[in-house]
Amino acid sequence: AQKITQTQPGMFVQEKEAVTLDCTYDTSDPSYGLFWYKQPSSGEMIFLIYQGSYDQQNATEGRYSLNFQKARKSANLVISASQLGDSAMYFCAMRGLNTGFQKLVFGTGTRLLVSP
Amino acid sequence: DSGVTQTPKHLITATGQRVTLRCSPRSGDLSVYWYQQSLDQGLQFLIQYYNGEERAKGNILERFSAQQFPDLHSELNLSSLELGDSALYFCASSVAGAPTNEKLFFGSGTQLSVL
């Protein structure tokens, strides 16, 4: 079975600083994808970044980058130059090729608060 | 805006009642997923449809059912509602629903409150 673990229930960061949100995963799939979603207080789930298990380079999308360490089964999200609008819940998720690839399995989330 | 439309945004009902949640996927997306988000269970996958057919089932209760219509919109029916069914219900869509790198686009959710 697939499992995503986010051990930080909450994180605080000052505006313009960088912050790392931790995510570890467990899967027996040889091929899988890792995702990060942002959920602001308004409730919608916003896709941020994707990393494939066979991708050689870490994914980047603007201020978001994914620190992918396959041997350690970790996929941490790095947000550079934090903004007030980054305050939200952040969810790590994965999807495996063989075991339930149709669905995303989510972690419990990390609440990020960005202060001025 | 993700392009996925969910209605209604909020729903307040009583125990024992039945409700229907509606979802219109993004234009061109054939796959629809339903998720339930509650404080104690987090985000739980309920069910997936692909081009009108059920493709995968998750932690969906027997009191819940869903379908995807020929125009690809989907409905989630919740019956004999209990207090514990109060949650935010998300619909998501994707083009095919198969490749590992395919991202899901989520709607804004329907907040269900069972009183």
Side-chain angles (χ1 to χ4, degrees):
Chain A
Q2 299 169 350
K3 188 177 179 183
I4 294 281
T5 302
Q6 294 180 256
T7 56
Q8 307 154 315
M11 288 286 285
F12 295 88
V13 68
Q14 226 166 0
E15 209 177 359
K16 298 178 186 174
E17 289 185 351
V19 62
T20 298
L21 306 184
D22 294 342
C23 171
T24 57
Y25 60 91
D26 190 23
T27 183
S28 56
D29 278 317
S31 177
Y32 50 89
L34 295 153
F35 301 77
W36 278 91
Y37 281 84
K38 171 185 177 181
Q39 186 178 34
S41 56
S42 51
E44 73 270 30
M45 297 285 284
I46 302 166
F47 167 78
L48 295 178
I49 196 166
Y50 165 83
Q51 178 82 44
S53 58
Y54 287 112
D55 292 344
Q56 294 297 314
Q57 292 190 325
N58 287 342
T60 59
E61 291 278 354
R63 294 186 299 111
Y64 304 109
S65 61
L66 204 151
N67 184 1
F68 180 48
Q69 298 185 45
K70 193 171 182 177
R72 301 176 75 173
K73 292 192 174 178
S74 76
N76 298 340
L77 177 70
V78 181
I79 305 175
S80 62
S82 297
Q83 302 172 355
L84 295 178
D86 293 335
S87 293
M89 280 289 286
Y90 288 80
F91 291 93
C92 181
M94 76 175 298
R95 183 181 217 176
L97 178 65
N98 293 328
T99 53
F101 64 87
Q102 301 92 339
K103 66 179 191 280
L104 282 177
V105 174
F106 285 85
T108 51
T110 295
R111 182 170 297 282
L112 176 66
L113 272 174
V114 181
S115 60
Chain B
D1 184 4
S2 67
V4 179
T5 305
Q6 286 189 251
T7 57
K9 278 194 170 308
H10 302 276
L11 201 48
I12 302 174
T13 188
T15 55
Q17 295 297 305
R18 173 189 168 95
V19 297
T20 297
L21 282 53
R22 185 189 166 101
C23 168
S24 293
R26 289 189 323 153
S27 177
D29 284 359
L30 298 178
S31 211
V32 168
Y33 309 74
W34 286 97
Y35 279 82
Q36 178 195 59
Q37 185 179 32
S38 61
L39 285 174
D40 53 342
Q41 297 284 331
L43 273 154
Q44 297 283 318
F45 168 72
L46 295 179
I47 198 163
Q48 180 207 1
Y49 279 83
Y50 174 75
N51 205 18
E53 294 192 5
E54 183 185 304
R55 175 168 274 192
K57 224 170 188 177
N59 303 322
I60 189 166
L61 300 171
E62 285 191 14
R63 300 183 285 109
F64 296 180
S65 65
Q67 55 183 329
Q68 187 179 26
F69 295 86
D71 67 352
L72 301 177
H73 91 271
S74 178
E75 292 180 357
L76 179 67
N77 299 298
L78 315 176
S79 61
S80 302
L81 285 167
E82 302 174 0
L83 296 177
D85 297 328
S86 295
L88 183 57
Y89 290 84
F90 280 110
C91 168
S93 74
S94 66
V95 174
T100 54
N101 64 344
E102 191 180 53
K103 58 182 177 261
L104 273 61
F105 292 89
F106 284 79
S108 299
T110 293
Q111 181 67 56
L112 174 67
S113 298
V114 182
L115 305 178

